[in-house]
Amino acid sequence: MRKAARTAVAGLLLTMAAACGGTPSGGGATPSGGAMTGRGPITLATGKDTSRNLQNQVDAWNKGHPDEQARIVELPESADVQRDQMIQNARAKSDAFTVLALDVVWTSEFAANRWILPLPQEQFDLAAFLPPTVATGQYRGRLYAAPWKTDAGLLYYRKDLLDKAGVKEPPKTWREMEADCAKVPGVSCFAGQYEKYEGLTCNFAEAVNSAGGTIVDPATGRPDVADLAAKRGLDFLVDGFRTGLIPKQAITFKEEEGRRYFQEGRLLFHRQWPYQYALADRHDGSSKVAGRFAVAPLPGLNGPGVPTLGGHNLAVSAFAGNRASALDFVTFLSSEERQRANLLASSEAPTRAALYDEPELQAKYPYLKVLKESVLNAKPRPQVVRYGDVTAAIQEAAYAAITGARPSGQVLADLQTKLQTLTRS
C-alpha cells in the first residue's frame, strides 16, 4: 500500500508539473545552460516543515522582494518520498520547483545527473561555514548546494530521572546506557528511527560507525559491511529489540513518532535531531518533559559514538526559470542573519560556525557546544551517485535484521555483495 501511495503521489506531481506548461513562473522560455538569469516568482521544494518556522523565513524574503515572491511547496515528511518527487520533477524537466532543499547526501546524485546547477562559489563565504557542511554541498570540486541546515544525531535524555536514580552523567557507551535504564523503572529505555525509510539508514550508519566500522570507505569507494565491527553495530539494534532495550513500537518510529513518545514522558533516552529541542522544551502543555531533559553526544560501543551527518542544503533546479532570483534567495536563507533567526525560533542546527559561540544563543540553547562537537565528529552516509539504490538496500537489510526476519551475519554478507554491485564504477 505504501508503494502504491508513493506512486500515486508521484503521478499527481507529474500531472501538476505538466499543467504548468514547462515555462518559468515569470514567463518566457527556461534559460539554457547554467546561466543564473531571470527574475520573478520562485518556489522552494522542501520536506514537511517540522520546525514550524520556515514560512517565517520565507515571509522575511517576500517582504523585501515584492516582485520575486517565494512560495513553499511542502513535500511529505519522508525523505524517501521527497527524493522521489524531486527526481520525478527533474525527469519531467518541469520548472515547478525552483529551489530544492536537498538532503545533504543527495548532492552527488543530483549533480551527476545534471538536475541541479553549479553555484558561483565566490558568492558564498565558505570559510564561515562548518567544514563538514561545505563538503556535503560539493561534487567534483564544485559547489552545487549551499549549506543551509545541518544535523547530527544527539542523545536526548531525562536528566530529572537520572538525577533521581543517582546517575550523575549521561552514558558514554551502550553498556552504560543499558545499566542506567535498569535504574529507572517505568519508562522505555532507548529509541531512534527504525521505520523502513531514510531515518533507518541514518541509525544503521550510526550503529556501524559507533562500533568502529564503515559502510562505504570514503577513500576507496568500496563497501565494507561484512566485517565484525559492522556486525557489532547492527547487533546493538537487533539485541535492543530482542531484549526490550528498544520498545517494540519503535519499529514504526520516524522522527515525529519518536518525538511525541519522548515528549509524552515514555522514554529515558532518545536518539534524535536538534529540531526536537525547542519542541520538547515548550512550556505550553504540549510536552510533559519541558525543563526535565538534557542533551549529550551519542554513546558507542567502547566510548562516545559517531553521529550521522544530516541536514539540508539549497540547490537551484536545472529546469527552473528566474534563476537570478533563486540564487539571491539561496544566499538570503543561508546568511548568518537568517540562520541566527531560525536557530532562535526552531533550535535547528545552523551551518554558520560563529553562531555556535554566541553567548546569547548559548544561553537559550545550552546544548550548542555538544551540537557543534557532534557535527564536527559526524560522518556522512555513503556519498555515492546511486544513492537511492544504496539506501534502499541498507534499509531492507537493517529492517530484516531488527525485525528478526533474517540473522544479522547473513544480512550483512548479502548487503556487502549488493553494495559492491551498486558502487562499481
Side-chain angles (χ1 to χ4, degrees):
M1 291 177 65
R2 184 179 295 133
K3 183 176 181 182
R6 181 182 298 181
T7 302
V9 170
L12 177 61
L13 181 69
L14 282 173
T15 301
M16 293 171 61
C20 293
T23 58
S25 42
T30 301
S32 61
M36 292 292 186
T37 59
R39 293 196 173 276
I42 56 176
T43 59
L44 169 62
T46 181
K48 183 177 175 59
D49 179 26
T50 54
S51 75
R52 307 178 189 178
N53 187 57
L54 181 56
Q55 188 61 58
N56 294 330
Q57 294 284 79
V58 173
D59 288 346
W61 162 269
N62 288 340
K63 184 177 180 180
H65 301 80
D67 298 324
E68 302 171 88
Q69 297 284 287
R71 177 174 60 86
I72 298 172
V73 179
E74 190 173 65
L75 305 178
E77 180 185 343
S78 168
D80 298 325
V81 180
Q82 293 168 32
R83 175 183 164 276
D84 287 347
Q85 292 193 8
M86 289 181 182
I87 290 176
Q88 291 283 357
N89 188 79
R91 287 175 173 165
K93 297 185 178 181
S94 167
D95 68 343
F97 301 161
T98 312
V99 176
L100 305 177
L102 296 180
D103 187 303
V104 294
V105 81
W106 299 342
T107 303
S108 296
E109 180 181 22
F110 277 66
N113 284 287
R114 299 183 180 180
W115 294 331
I116 54 177
L117 298 173
L119 300 178
Q121 193 158 301
E122 67 279 0
Q123 191 161 322
F124 299 89
D125 182 13
L126 297 183
F129 295 87
L130 293 171
T133 70
V134 174
T136 64
Q138 294 175 325
Y139 175 70
R140 293 189 174 181
R142 303 185 72 181
L143 184 69
Y144 279 85
W148 181 35
K149 300 176 183 179
T150 191
D151 257 337
L154 298 170
L155 184 71
Y156 289 76
Y157 66 95
R158 289 288 302 278
K159 188 175 186 305
D160 60 332
L161 297 181
L162 290 187
D163 286 346
K164 186 177 180 180
V167 179
K168 297 181 179 180
E169 294 183 351
K172 293 183 176 61
T173 67
W174 295 332
R175 183 171 295 181
E176 288 177 4
M177 183 170 67
E178 186 174 2
D180 290 345
C181 289
K183 300 174 184 177
V184 183
V187 293
S188 297
C189 179
F190 172 77
Q193 294 79 44
Y194 308 114
E195 175 63 276
K196 194 192 295 182
Y197 80 117
E198 187 63 22
L200 180 55
T201 297
C202 293
N203 282 249
F204 171 78
E206 283 174 346
V208 170
N209 290 327
S210 295
T214 188
I215 300 176
V216 175
D217 190 310
T220 65
R222 297 188 185 121
D224 192 18
V225 293
D227 67 352
L228 184 58
K231 186 175 185 303
R232 285 171 175 165
L234 179 57
D235 281 345
F236 164 67
L237 301 178
V238 172
D239 292 343
F241 276 99
R242 181 179 56 80
T243 64
L245 183 79
I246 301 173
K248 292 189 182 302
Q249 53 266 53
I251 197 65
T252 65
F253 281 7
K254 298 189 292 297
E255 282 81 1
E256 285 293 273
E257 290 85 354
R259 177 181 68 80
R260 288 190 287 268
Y261 199 81
F262 181 75
Q263 288 183 199
E264 290 167 0
R266 303 169 68 185
L267 196 60
L268 184 59
F269 296 105
H270 189 208
R271 179 267 174 223
Q272 180 63 293
W273 305 108
Y275 89 95
Q276 177 172 278
Y277 194 99
L279 298 175
D281 204 38
R282 286 188 173 179
H283 293 259
D284 59 1
S286 61
S287 174
K288 294 180 180 180
V289 301
R292 299 178 180 179
F293 69 91
V295 174
L298 290 172
L301 177 62
N302 296 314
V306 180
T308 292
L309 184 65
H312 289 81
N313 298 330
L314 298 172
V316 177
S317 169
F319 312 103
N322 299 329
R323 296 175 183 174
S325 296
L327 178 60
D328 287 350
F329 181 66
V330 168
T331 305
F332 175 83
L333 283 186
S334 60
S335 68
E336 185 170 307
E337 178 185 2
R338 282 296 101 204
Q339 290 202 30
R340 179 187 291 107
N342 189 59
L343 172 59
L344 284 169
S346 71
S347 80
E348 289 185 314
T351 55
R352 295 272 181 171
L355 296 178
Y356 289 86
D357 302 320
E358 286 193 14
E360 176 192 0
L361 297 176
Q362 289 179 339
K364 183 174 178 64
Y365 297 122
Y367 74 98
L368 278 180
K369 182 178 179 181
V370 172
L371 176 56
K372 183 179 182 180
E373 177 186 346
S374 295
V375 171
L376 293 175
N377 291 334
K379 288 187 177 181
R381 285 155 284 167
Q383 296 175 297
V384 294
V385 172
R386 297 183 64 181
Y387 183 76
D389 295 327
V390 167
T391 189
I394 291 171
Q395 293 167 34
E396 288 288 342
Y399 196 81
I402 63 180
T403 56
R406 297 172 60 207
S408 59
Q410 185 61 56
V411 157
L412 291 174
D414 292 345
L415 179 60
Q416 174 74 11
T417 300
K418 193 158 192 176
L419 291 183
Q420 285 173 337
T421 300
L422 294 174
T423 57
R424 191 172 297 142
S425 300

